[in-house]
Amino acid sequence: MIRKHWKMLALTSVIILLPALAGVILWNRLPDRMPTHWNVSGEIDSWISKPFAVFGLPLILLAAQWLCLLGTATDPKKENHSDKVLQLVIWIIPVLSVVLHVLTYAAALGHGVRMEMIMPVLVGLILVIMGNYLPKCKQNYTIGIKIPWTLNSEENWNRTHRMAGRLWVACGLVCMLTGFFGGFWIFFGLVLVMVLVPFLYSWLLFRKGV
């Protein structure tokens, strides 16, 4: 996988690190303490040092990117990974790196950033995209809903992922709406639904001999 997509991997690695270059350019304008967390009301409640925000966070995201890729590349069933799903895995962290650093720098420079609205919309959009890709996942050990019943039965895997894909899209849309109409705590209920419902559905299929 790494050899096949090495150009894309190199490009996405550079994109992950681009916020560090932006931080160097903005260095004299950035405060010594940078915002790193917002509460449900959109108020900053946690800070980190400027060097760690500019250099440390991109490096952590780069390490996370390559850990995900190496795990995918060493999957015994990696031949089942479709190119579309792999592209999602390759691009999700680079896009998040750019978006999150843009928001962090904007907030640090005193621009009004409504994180209580932006984050639910961003998370919901990611869930919608992932939900659309879930049915395209073939049986493997790194990407998808990996529980005993899906891993032991290809039909169980396929049916569970088709159902979960529709569920994740629906939950993603609800999550996006909370950004505009409030109800951030609904997100935690959505997470439980997205985890438990596919789990129970797969188990019921197993009980039926699927």
Side-chain angles (χ1 to χ4, degrees):
M1 184 203 79
I2 292 179
R3 289 182 179 179
K4 181 180 178 181
H5 299 283
W6 71 268
K7 290 183 179 179
M8 189 183 300
L9 297 178
L11 173 62
T12 52
S13 295
V14 171
I15 292 174
I16 291 173
L17 295 175
L18 275 180
L21 176 61
V24 170
I25 295 172
L26 296 170
W27 188 267
N28 291 331
R29 296 175 56 193
L30 294 173
D32 292 333
R33 293 197 314 155
M34 302 278 287
T36 186
H37 187 268
W38 287 256
N39 61 27
V40 295
S41 300
E43 301 167 340
I44 301 171
D45 60 4
S46 183
W47 307 78
I48 54 176
S49 67
K50 179 165 62 174
F52 188 78
V54 172
F55 302 110
L57 293 182
L59 289 174
I60 290 174
L61 290 172
L62 181 64
Q65 167 87 337
W66 278 93
L67 283 173
C68 291
L69 296 176
L70 291 173
T72 304
T74 56
D75 188 337
K77 293 189 176 184
K78 58 180 178 290
E79 67 278 359
N80 284 345
H81 294 151
S82 72
D83 282 342
K84 289 184 178 181
V85 174
L86 284 175
Q87 287 176 15
L88 176 63
V89 173
I90 291 172
W91 278 101
I92 192 167
I93 291 180
V95 171
L96 284 176
S97 177
V98 172
V99 172
L100 294 178
H101 277 89
V102 167
L103 295 174
T104 298
Y105 289 164
L109 293 172
H111 298 290
V113 177
R114 296 190 59 187
M115 294 297 286
E116 75 279 10
M117 181 183 75
I118 295 173
M119 289 311 298
V121 173
L122 179 61
V123 172
L125 179 60
I126 292 172
L127 292 177
V128 169
I129 294 172
M130 293 177 67
N132 276 287
Y133 275 89
L134 270 181
K136 299 178 177 68
C137 290
K138 295 182 180 180
Q139 205 174 33
N140 70 93
Y141 293 107
T142 51
I143 303 172
I145 301 170
K146 304 175 295 298
I147 51 182
W149 312 297
T150 57
L151 292 174
N152 289 329
S153 168
E154 186 174 356
E155 184 179 355
N156 191 306
W157 173 283
N158 292 335
R159 291 174 64 174
T160 298
H161 281 72
R162 283 196 297 269
M163 183 280 296
R166 293 190 291 268
L167 177 66
W168 282 39
V169 168
C171 288
L173 293 174
V174 173
C175 185
M176 293 172 71
L177 289 174
T178 65
F180 296 99
F181 302 107
F184 176 80
W185 294 107
I186 295 174
F187 173 73
F188 297 100
L190 295 176
V191 171
L192 288 176
V193 169
M194 290 187 297
V195 172
L196 294 179
V197 171
F199 182 92
L200 292 173
Y201 180 77
S202 179
W203 178 75
L204 288 174
L205 291 177
F206 166 74
R207 295 277 293 182
K208 293 178 180 180
V210 178

